Amino acid sequence: QLLEGIRRLGTSVVELRRMHPPSDRLRDEVRDGTKRKVAQELGLRGFGRGDVIALPPLANHVTLWQDQGDGMSGRGSALPGGEFLLGRFDVVAVGAVADYDAAWKFDKHGQKSPFWVLHAAALNIGENEQATDFQDYSLESGPLDLPAYVEDMGRVFDNLLIAAKSKRAHDVVWFPFGMGAFLRNLHKLDPRYSQATEAGTHLLDLRKALTRRFVDALVKASSNFTVHLCIAPSGKGDELDDNAEAFLEAFHRGLEKRLLHPKSFQILLNADALTISQDLADKGRCVCLVNGANRKLVGNHWFSGGARMAIDENLHRRSWRMAATAYVLNGGTEVVMRRPDDLANAVRQLGGTVHAVAGDADNHDSKSKII
């Protein structure tokens, strides 16, 4: 019903054939091929061994937006340093080209146009019982501070859209950012979010609060780019369905209230975000693909056998340029203790640029809307 309502209001809805995840063997073959290519192009003795001799393509266009976190709703520090290479609200843009298609087959087509990948970290309040950000977004009595969490997630949304606008993007490819693994075990830290509690309505309400805040971010950005939302409802009543419902409801509401123009976004069902980004770039469009990054390593451990379904790792496994830039920004493959300026210095050494982003002081009144 929501999809039909969105169609009637003039927004494009495209349903693509559902792709099955690659086999473990195919994923490992692609990963290993990308590792060999990264080592070759960077002049390493082997992946993870030796000094970087050559820089990856587009390295001098890497851009970092730094947000010090002033006025944030959560506790703790938003700055990089210690284990963290990336700040809580920072965004780093790198150029990329897709080497493999949605079926993880090598794409042999001719010259491809690059696009931007915007790396930013979602707040981790529920990946496991040691979720990195839960304590900073919980009340003194223990439960999640929902308004603080949603508003600071919105701050990440705002910064991603600031970055896209700065890159003069025609298209922004988005997915349910931060609404997968980082919420999956929230019930272990806050029992209110158990699926068994009131039929899971609290968790669905949280997802809806995030998507309403995303619509607020789009309205505030007031840009001419088109958002291509990639969702994949399963029909099984799981988090894929809940995320789809939350986004569709928020967009439908935005259309009805005339906050959003019908042509300002497109709904893509079962789409592969990397393939969509490459197809748009090859049409001469400036494209920004949003990625849910890891604060300790850009691309996380894409080169290992873990995180077999994570978008961050699987994007890097299918683009050697993206993976090579991550290698250089990370200074290799290991999580090490960082200084607050390590990432900014790495970007400057590549010839890239660093910008300061100030948080929105009025917080867009999102807290009162959520309450």
Side-chain angles (χ1 to χ4, degrees):
Q1 290 175 340
L2 287 169
L3 281 170
E4 187 54 38
I6 287 172
R7 279 195 184 99
R8 283 200 303 269
L9 291 168
T11 294
S12 169
V13 177
V14 178
E15 183 170 6
L16 303 174
R17 183 169 63 89
R18 185 182 296 276
M19 300 295 296
H20 295 291
S23 66
D24 289 349
R25 179 179 178 180
L26 176 58
R27 186 189 290 106
D28 290 348
E29 287 175 355
V30 169
R31 178 202 65 203
D32 292 344
T34 299
K35 288 169 67 175
R36 288 192 295 270
K37 181 67 172 174
V38 168
Q40 174 188 333
E41 294 293 333
L42 296 182
L44 305 174
R45 293 199 307 272
F47 188 83
R49 296 188 291 112
D51 295 331
V52 173
I53 303 302
L55 295 179
L58 304 174
N60 61 325
H61 294 287
V62 173
T63 310
L64 172 64
W65 290 264
Q66 290 185 308
D67 180 343
Q68 302 291 318
D70 297 337
M72 66 182 178
S73 299
R75 298 190 300 274
S77 173
L79 300 177
E83 287 188 312
F84 298 127
L85 178 67
L86 191 68
R88 180 178 281 175
F89 304 112
D90 293 352
V91 179
V92 61
V94 306
V97 170
D99 302 313
Y100 294 85
D101 63 17
W104 289 63
K105 300 296 184 185
F106 185 72
D107 191 343
K108 298 179 181 179
H109 292 95
Q111 190 70 25
K112 299 181 195 174
S113 298
F115 54 88
W116 295 107
V117 180
L118 304 181
H119 298 295
L123 299 176
N124 181 0
I125 60 167
E127 185 176 20
N128 50 45
E129 291 174 87
Q130 292 77 43
T132 311
D133 297 306
F134 182 81
Q135 291 302 318
D136 287 345
Y137 289 91
S138 59
L139 301 170
E140 290 185 6
S141 56
L144 176 70
D145 184 348
L146 176 63
Y149 164 70
V150 172
E151 183 48 43
D152 278 2
M153 276 290 288
R155 186 165 177 159
V156 181
F157 300 160
D158 292 339
N159 289 349
L160 282 163
L161 297 178
I162 286 170
K165 194 171 181 178
S166 176
K167 289 299 183 184
R168 300 183 180 180
H170 301 124
D171 303 277
V172 175
V173 180
W174 199 277
F175 70 104
F177 178 88
M179 296 168 66
F182 284 2
L183 296 180
R184 201 164 292 151
N185 291 297
L186 175 59
H187 64 279
K188 295 180 180 179
L189 294 164
D190 187 339
R192 295 178 304 166
Y193 294 97
S194 170
Q195 289 289 351
T197 303
E198 298 185 38
T201 55
H202 281 106
L203 189 55
L204 180 57
D205 287 344
L206 182 151
R207 297 178 191 277
K208 291 181 177 181
L210 286 175
T211 56
R212 288 195 298 269
R213 181 60 180 83
F214 177 59
V215 170
D216 285 347
L218 285 178
V219 173
K220 184 165 63 172
S222 63
S223 184
N224 293 324
F225 51 63
T226 300
V227 173
H228 303 265
L229 175 65
C230 300
I231 53 176
S234 67
K236 299 177 181 178
D238 55 14
E239 72 181 37
L240 296 175
D241 285 343
D242 287 350
N243 285 339
E245 178 182 342
F247 268 106
L248 295 175
E249 188 175 287
F251 278 127
H252 189 268
R253 175 178 174 274
L255 289 172
E256 285 192 319
K257 291 183 175 293
R258 298 188 178 181
L259 300 172
L260 299 174
H261 190 279
K263 304 300 182 185
S264 66
F265 66 96
Q266 179 187 43
I267 305 296
L268 298 173
L269 303 177
N270 308 319
D272 176 70
L274 185 66
T275 303
I276 294 297
S277 300
Q278 187 63 66
D279 289 347
L280 289 167
D282 289 343
K283 294 175 182 177
R285 313 274 295 175
C286 179
V287 181
C288 287
L289 167 61
V290 169
N291 174 44
N294 181 282
R295 290 186 63 191
K296 297 178 182 180
L297 282 176
V298 179
N300 206 350
H301 291 84
W302 67 266
F303 42 83
S304 71
R308 309 189 78 76
M309 300 299 291
I311 186 170
D312 187 15
E313 286 85 339
N314 286 335
L315 289 177
H316 285 81
R317 288 164 181 155
R318 292 194 288 152
S319 171
W320 75 260
R321 293 168 181 83
M322 194 191 315
T325 306
Y327 188 100
V328 176
L329 292 174
N330 292 331
T333 62
E334 300 297 325
V335 175
V336 297
M337 297 303 289
R338 310 284 190 178
R339 294 184 298 270
D341 57 355
D342 275 359
L343 182 57
N345 287 339
V347 170
R348 292 189 181 102
Q349 287 170 5
L350 292 176
T353 54
V354 179
H355 303 286
V357 179
D360 187 1
D362 65 10
N363 277 344
H364 214 46
D365 200 29
S366 295
K367 287 189 178 183
S368 61
K369 290 181 182 179
I370 296 163
I371 292 170

